[in-house]
Amino acid sequence: MLTRQPLTRQPLTRQPLTRQPLTRRLLAGGAGAVLTLTAALAVSGGPAAADPGAECPPTQANCDVWENVPGDPGDGDGGTGSGDGGGSGGGNRVCEKDDGTRVPCYDDVLGWFNAADDCHYKLAEPQPPDVEPGTSAYLRTCSDAGSSDLVYLATPPAGFDPPDPRQMALDLFASLTLEAPRIRTAPSGAPGLVGVPVWLHDASSWDEERRTDRQGPVTVWIEAIPTKIVWQMGNGETLECDSAGIPFRTGTHDPRRPPPGACVYAGYPRSSSGSPGGRYEITAVKHWRVPWGSSTSDGDETELTTSREASSSIQIDELQVVTR
């Protein structure tokens, strides 16, 4: 009499499984019968049933899926990312004098240009000791005079317009070209099997991206630093990895004993036959932290964050166990 092994759903932290040959066939006395197991391998490392033998699913000629995995786990189903987009902000503005000559609105030596009188104004640093309350001293340089003098003003002159560092940082943030995940899985060339680990790898760039911008006297820098990738496995389970993972290499890696840096899902507890299209949809969400700072601040400003995502899919089959 045949009995069905109870299905035990295993958490993501289960221990590595001992590899069992999946193409065995055991002949025993009695009539032939086929028992489909939804959990082909148990945590103990042995088969779920009492060593009944096994053969591949009807649609799969070779169910030792790791034998056919090439050095590059393959392209998967691709995926497109979502992101901020946008262009870079700014650059130095250009002003025009009375005679039509174009000049930078800000000069490192002369300061800000005032088109009303064709003069440059720069805040005196440090301020003279005789400055009256409510006023500030500015060094004024006029093109016709070619000399500078000190003026005291209650409000900044027209055209004196230092940029907002935070807005500059947001402009740089919008200009970042962060790549969405490029999903690679192993198995990839053949369907995976219930209980067999799935290696996950993001082939997109994990390099840090840094940009700077200078407007007038203000320089702003921003840096995008990848921090983690969250894999949604399509069956309600998630796996979080703090790196891109590594591609599976046949003959180099043991699929059940991943080396440091690998990102491996312990295995699907049931087949994907009940999912749309007979496949599990895998979604990868890649996260960055984005610190920034400016020449006008003593340290980093409030960090920004962003993410990109992409989707792929995988087919998972059940192992067929045969006894006679």
Side-chain angles (χ1 to χ4, degrees):
M1 175 177 173
L2 298 175
T3 59
R4 181 182 296 274
Q5 183 74 8
L7 170 65
T8 302
R9 187 185 181 93
Q10 301 299 334
L12 295 179
T13 55
R14 53 188 168 180
Q15 298 301 312
L17 306 176
T18 302
R19 179 171 180 172
Q20 299 292 333
L22 302 181
T23 54
R24 297 193 312 269
R25 181 180 180 89
L26 177 65
L27 299 179
V34 176
L35 176 62
T36 300
L37 299 181
T38 55
L41 300 172
V43 176
S44 62
D51 195 20
E55 64 180 28
C56 299
T59 60
Q60 210 166 325
N62 174 17
C63 58
D64 195 353
V65 294
W66 298 103
E67 294 295 328
N68 291 334
V69 176
D72 186 331
D75 292 335
D77 289 16
T80 56
S82 60
D84 303 314
S88 61
N92 288 324
R93 293 171 295 172
V94 176
C95 294
E96 189 172 294
K97 300 167 68 172
D98 285 341
D99 61 6
T101 304
R102 304 183 74 188
V103 297
C105 294
Y106 178 82
D107 182 273
D108 286 335
V109 176
L110 304 177
W112 295 94
F113 180 74
N114 182 356
D117 58 8
D118 272 8
C119 296
H120 284 83
Y121 290 80
K122 189 170 187 177
L123 188 67
E125 295 179 351
Q127 288 283 287
D130 58 346
V131 175
E132 296 181 1
T135 67
S136 298
Y138 295 84
L139 190 64
R140 179 178 60 186
T141 305
C142 298
S143 56
D144 55 350
S147 59
S148 301
D149 62 330
L150 204 60
V151 295
Y152 298 85
L153 304 173
T155 58
F160 196 91
D161 186 24
D164 176 15
R166 178 171 177 79
Q167 185 57 53
M168 291 174 63
L170 292 175
D171 289 342
L172 286 175
F173 179 69
S175 75
L176 294 172
T177 54
L178 304 179
E179 188 179 4
R182 289 192 283 133
I183 297 174
R184 305 289 187 267
T185 64
S188 64
L193 292 175
V194 166
V196 176
V198 177
W199 284 46
L200 303 166
H201 175 231
D202 172 23
S204 69
S205 172
W206 276 64
D207 293 337
E208 298 177 1
E209 183 172 343
R210 182 182 177 94
R211 293 195 178 186
T212 60
D213 186 24
R214 181 175 181 272
Q215 294 185 19
V218 179
T219 299
V220 169
W221 61 266
I222 193 169
E223 189 169 22
I225 304 170
T227 57
K228 65 181 179 180
I229 186 165
V230 178
W231 298 88
Q232 301 169 6
M233 302 307 297
N235 62 346
E237 294 185 337
T238 61
L239 177 66
E240 182 175 308
C241 296
D242 58 7
S243 69
I246 58 177
F248 178 79
R249 304 293 183 189
T250 302
T252 300
H253 296 135
D254 181 341
R256 303 180 189 279
R257 293 177 175 81
C263 184
V264 180
Y265 176 57
Y268 286 94
R270 58 180 58 87
S271 79
S272 58
S273 59
S275 299
R279 303 174 70 89
Y280 287 119
E281 181 174 341
I282 298 176
T283 300
V285 184
K286 185 176 176 180
H287 296 263
W288 286 260
R289 68 180 184 91
V290 189
W292 69 275
S294 71
S295 57
T296 61
S297 63
D298 294 332
D300 294 356
E301 305 292 345
T302 303
E303 285 192 352
L304 306 169
T305 59
T306 192
S307 64
R308 303 287 188 275
E309 70 176 52
S311 296
S312 183
S313 65
I314 190 171
Q315 179 179 338
I316 300 296
D317 288 346
E318 294 173 334
L319 190 67
Q320 306 292 315
V321 177
V322 178
T323 61
R324 287 185 180 178

